[in-house]
Amino acid sequence: MERGDFDALSALWLEDEISCVHPGWPVLSGRGEVLRSYALIMSHTDYIQFFLTDTKVAVIGDTALVTCTENILSGGPAEDGGELGPLVGQLVVATNVFRRTSEGWRLWSHHGSPVLTDSAEDEEEDPA
């Protein structure tokens, strides 16, 4: 995703029934829908970097559950067509389910939910 390599990202997913929930999106089902969503995101994102924290992995047989916090920094094109547009930070908690295949571990399902944080507006509210 960070390299913008759609083919490499596609190869991470299982060939059969998969699902994905991006923050604020409905459930996407099937390889076509899921991969189209990543193509759309990649086509509108000039820069993206993930800093993963709070990572936990549980493996049972040929299934793995990976949870983490994705600290995402991203930016799109500048409105005037110049350099990279403003960078935006986002905090997402993610659950990823993998299955072991003969080709290695492949992603079966991804679910990302935004983390709601207190805004400066909330801190400035008058208690009266």
Side-chain angles (χ1 to χ4, degrees):
M1 185 82 174
E2 289 181 348
R3 290 190 318 264
D5 187 340
F6 182 76
D7 292 334
L9 183 129
S10 298
L12 295 174
W13 287 87
L14 285 171
E15 290 293 329
D16 45 342
E17 195 59 31
I18 59 176
S19 68
C20 179
V21 177
H22 299 293
W25 290 42
V27 177
L28 304 172
S29 297
R31 196 166 165 80
E33 277 190 12
V34 170
L35 294 182
R36 270 192 296 279
S37 74
Y38 280 100
L40 180 65
I41 292 168
M42 292 169 119
S43 71
H44 289 88
T45 305
D46 284 355
Y47 174 85
I48 191 162
Q49 187 170 11
F50 293 82
F51 301 95
L52 304 182
T53 58
D54 309 315
T55 303
K56 293 184 178 37
V57 178
V59 179
I60 300 173
D62 290 333
T63 303
L65 179 68
V66 179
T67 59
C68 66
T69 300
E70 299 175 346
N71 303 271
I72 306 169
L73 186 61
S74 64
E79 290 191 23
D80 61 7
E83 296 287 320
L84 181 68
L87 294 177
V88 176
Q90 183 179 16
L91 201 59
V92 173
V93 290
T95 301
N96 298 286
V97 181
F98 292 84
R99 282 198 345 223
R100 187 186 339 246
T101 71
S102 58
E103 291 83 36
W105 290 98
R106 296 293 182 263
L107 194 53
W108 189 2
S109 181
H110 167 78
H111 186 125
S113 295
V115 176
L116 302 178
T117 59
D118 292 334
S119 68
E121 202 173 275
D122 292 338
E123 294 172 7
E124 295 174 8
E125 283 185 15
D126 186 358

